[in-house]
Amino acid sequence: MPDPFGREAQELIRREFGDILTLLERIPSSIGVDEALSLVRWMTDSSEPPAELLKIDALEELRDLFRFYALLGALAFSPYGIEVEFVRKATAKLYRARIERKGSLEGSLLEIEPAEEVPERDRKILERAMDRNLPKEDKEKLKLKYRMPLSKFIELWDGSLKEIYIRRGYAYLRWEETLRLWEMAFERRFDRAVSILTEVRDELPEFYEKLREKLEELAGEYFKERLEKLGKVGAKPLRLDLFPPCVKEALKGVPAGMRNYAITVLLTSFLSYARLCPNPPKRDVRVKDCVSDLRIIEEEILPIIIEAGNRCKPPLFEDQPHEIKNIWYHLGFGLTDSPTLEDSGNSTWYFPPNCDKIRANAPQLCKPDKHCRGVKNPLTYYLRRLAREERSEAQGGEESG
């Protein structure tokens, strides 16, 4: 299957299983952990996928999809870990190679169609068809192969529109441009799928947790140098400059009517997970599973929350002093203002609300920027930007060394 998110793959899943959750329940009885890993294991030894993974017999397409969706199910147990980056990178390379071998993107997740209605004069200029000295291979690369509705194209494209031929509401694309666009669309759909499956991971069989453990080993091997330099993802000082717009708005203080949601619900959950447990090992994680004392909360997290509350109009904790107890309640310590570490687990440690819930409950906080594309949770936004910064720092250090 050239594209596991493509229309052909999705139709196959709907026809055979009805939905993704039913598919994930079926997978453990059909393939083993090692078979699922075969889709990505090659990346620890090679920069290119092996030939045996590039051509899949039609009779094996469903089994091939099992392997890919098994990996997604495993990543639901580590949605912010290095495993996600490892699998995303490996599968994007693999499926791009399959598409290049097929020579067509039709039926993929991109809403494209063959390039049509290009005036002959424009086509000749754009494809440099009149240049007799141009090698045949280069002429093929210059051909306008597909077109895509401009509105869909703009959602994905991160380059200049000056590079693109646009006519009557369509963007016309060469083969390499379309492949680049497919990769961006694949990575976004990949992250979205992991985020969605995180919501149902408690319903998934133990098979996926075992698979995640193996993926962690492979990812650790692949990113060994980076991990040695930066350390594994865990409790780290907060980077306020990388916070999502909604959190930055909450930190400024908000008017009455939004205070409890912005401060108690959003800020408390976001700051605590971002600082203490950015990659929670399970959904019912407790603070005491991540830290050995409460000093980080009392000295770093709580002061930020109280300052933001004091910036509200009127100040939240002057107006509602009991709300401090509610802060601890949302951190999982029960309704108290003098918790101990052993109280952790007396209530639920609330995970940051998803973006759609923030838009519904506090739309004034939602002011998306370019990094919000494809993000469903403010913690995802922060951890993605943090990972990019760390990768950049690691690469810069390697170059300077």
Side-chain angles (χ1 to χ4, degrees), residues 201-212:
R201 65 183 179 182
D202 291 344
E203 301 174 41
L204 298 180
E206 186 180 355
F207 167 87
Y208 294 101
E209 294 193 60
K210 293 179 180 178
L211 178 54
R212 188 215 56 85

Side-chain angles (χ1 to χ4, degrees), residues 251-292:
L251 287 170
K252 294 176 185 175
V254 296
M258 251 202 316
R259 296 178 305 172
N260 298 81
Y261 189 87
I263 307 301
T264 308
V265 177
L266 175 58
L267 269 190
T268 299
S269 58
F270 174 84
L271 293 174
S272 57
Y273 274 95
R275 179 65 180 90
L276 304 175
C277 195
N279 190 28
K282 52 186 179 178
R283 283 193 71 80
D284 58 348
V285 67
R286 301 164 300 180
V287 167
K288 65 183 178 184
D289 296 326
C290 305
V291 294
S292 58

Side-chain angles (χ1 to χ4, degrees), residues 25 36 40 47 56 78 127 129 173 208 241 298 359 369 379 399:
E25 290 169 351
V40 296
S47 60
I56 301 297
S78 183
E127 297 178 359
L173 306 167
Y208 294 101
D241 56 315
E298 294 169 339
R359 281 192 293 270
D369 63 15
L379 186 60
E399 291 171 2

Side-chain angles (χ1 to χ4, degrees), residues 5 28 61 75 79 85 91 106 111 120 139 147 168 188 196 209 217 221 234 244 246 250 281 314 357 377 388 391:
F5 293 130
E61 285 189 341
L75 295 178
E85 184 183 349
T91 53
E106 292 173 28
E111 293 186 31
E120 189 62 20
K139 285 184 178 181
R147 71 177 190 176
R168 294 182 177 176
R188 287 189 191 178
I196 290 170
E209 294 193 60
E217 292 175 12
E221 182 181 345
C246 56
K357 292 183 179 178
N377 189 283
R388 288 192 196 109
R391 282 200 299 272

Side-chain angles (χ1 to χ4, degrees), residues 4 29 59 75 106 115 122 156 179 183 191 209 236 247 252 324 347 350 372 375:
S29 63
L59 297 174
L75 295 178
E106 292 173 28
D122 287 0
L156 292 168
L179 280 175
E183 277 194 273
D191 290 341
E209 294 193 60
K236 293 183 178 180
V247 173
K252 294 176 185 175
I324 290 290
S347 57
Y350 285 88
C372 290
V375 169

Side-chain angles (χ1 to χ4, degrees), residues 105-270:
L105 270 157
E106 292 173 28
S108 73
L109 60 83
L110 288 181
E111 293 186 31
I112 53 174
E113 57 190 63
E116 296 175 352
E117 299 181 2
V118 181
E120 189 62 20
R121 179 176 175 275
D122 287 0
R123 186 182 290 277
K124 285 182 176 180
I125 293 171
L126 291 162
E127 297 178 359
R128 293 171 63 188
M130 294 175 287
D131 188 344
R132 295 179 181 177
N133 296 320
L134 201 65
K136 184 179 178 181
E137 184 179 329
D138 290 342
K139 285 184 178 181
E140 282 297 315
K141 290 179 181 178
L142 290 171
K143 281 186 177 179
L144 296 177
K145 193 171 178 68
Y146 296 107
R147 71 177 190 176
M148 183 178 190
L150 186 58
S151 59
K152 299 292 183 183
F153 171 79
I154 290 174
E155 290 177 6
L156 292 168
W157 191 249
D158 59 358
S160 170
L161 289 179
K162 292 179 181 179
E163 305 170 25
I164 304 300
Y165 177 72
I166 297 171
R167 177 179 169 81
R168 294 182 177 176
Y170 284 91
Y172 285 77
L173 306 167
R174 299 179 175 89
W175 177 242
E176 284 298 323
E177 291 167 340
T178 317
L179 280 175
R180 177 181 164 194
L181 208 64
W182 174 85
E183 277 194 273
M184 290 188 283
F186 177 87
E187 290 176 358
R188 287 189 191 178
R189 184 71 66 85
F190 185 98
D191 290 341
R192 193 181 313 139
V194 172
S195 178
I196 290 170
L197 291 178
T198 300
E199 298 292 325
V200 297
R201 65 183 179 182
D202 291 344
E203 301 174 41
L204 298 180
E206 186 180 355
F207 167 87
Y208 294 101
E209 294 193 60
K210 293 179 180 178
L211 178 54
R212 188 215 56 85
E213 290 173 4
K214 295 293 185 180
L215 283 175
E216 183 181 23
E217 292 175 12
L218 287 176
E221 182 181 345
Y222 183 78
F223 293 117
K224 183 179 179 181
E225 290 184 13
R226 187 207 298 179
L227 292 174
E228 287 174 351
K229 184 170 184 177
L230 297 172
K232 290 189 175 183
V233 174
K236 293 183 178 180
L238 293 169
R239 285 282 304 273
L240 276 69
D241 56 315
L242 303 180
F243 282 3
C246 56
V247 173
K248 288 181 178 178
E249 288 297 312
L251 287 170
K252 294 176 185 175
V254 296
M258 251 202 316
R259 296 178 305 172
N260 298 81
Y261 189 87
I263 307 301
T264 308
V265 177
L266 175 58
L267 269 190
T268 299
S269 58
F270 174 84

